[in-house]
Every structure is written in structure tokens, then in C-alpha cells.
Amino acid sequence: MSSKSADRGDAYVKAGTIVFGFGALATLITFVPLFLHLTPLPTAAYWLSMLMPLGFLLALTGLLLSARAQRRRVHAEA
């Protein structure tokens, strides 16, 4: 069961990395018009920037799940 938890943790980290990347890209895209004095994007574009902290949270959750599974494996061997 612990290897399933580790695999699940790895999946969370990978998904979190992808979601964080999309959020970072959305953040860059929404700020470019502000720096170039162009028309700001609609509010929905700014909401996409919220993917960045969501991705960070997913990756952090995955790291914690992987660490917990590894700790269980170590205690099971001892």
C-alpha cells in the first residue's frame, strides 16, 4: 500500500508542477498589457493566475504524501 501512496504523491507533484506552470504563464500574460500600457485583459484572465498557488499546493501535498509513504516503508523494515 505504501508504494501506491508514493505513486500517488508523485502524481500530485507532477500535476502540481503543470498547474503551477500554467498559472505562472497566465500571470505573465495578464501583466504584460499593464506594463505596455495596453488595454487590460478581462477579469477571467486574472482568475487563471490563481492556478499558480493551486499548483504549489498540489505539489506540496504530493511531497508530503511521498515523505509519509517513505517513512512508513522505513518503519516497516525496522
Side-chain angles (χ1 to χ4, degrees):
M1 179 165 152
S2 62
S3 74
K4 287 183 182 181
S5 296
D7 293 341
R8 190 174 59 173
D10 291 342
Y12 271 88
V13 171
K14 289 177 185 175
T17 302
I18 292 169
V19 171
F20 184 87
F22 281 129
L25 183 63
T27 301
L28 289 174
I29 290 171
T30 54
F31 278 106
V32 165
L34 298 175
F35 290 130
L36 299 177
H37 303 293
L38 301 173
T39 304
L41 295 175
T43 305
Y46 290 94
W47 279 102
L48 287 175
S49 298
M50 294 306 293
L51 289 174
M52 208 160 66
L54 177 63
F56 181 76
L57 183 63
L58 280 172
L60 183 63
T61 301
L63 287 174
L64 292 174
L65 286 172
S66 294
R68 189 173 166 187
Q70 182 179 5
R71 185 172 44 189
R72 285 183 182 165
R73 278 194 306 269
V74 169
H75 287 313
E77 291 173 3

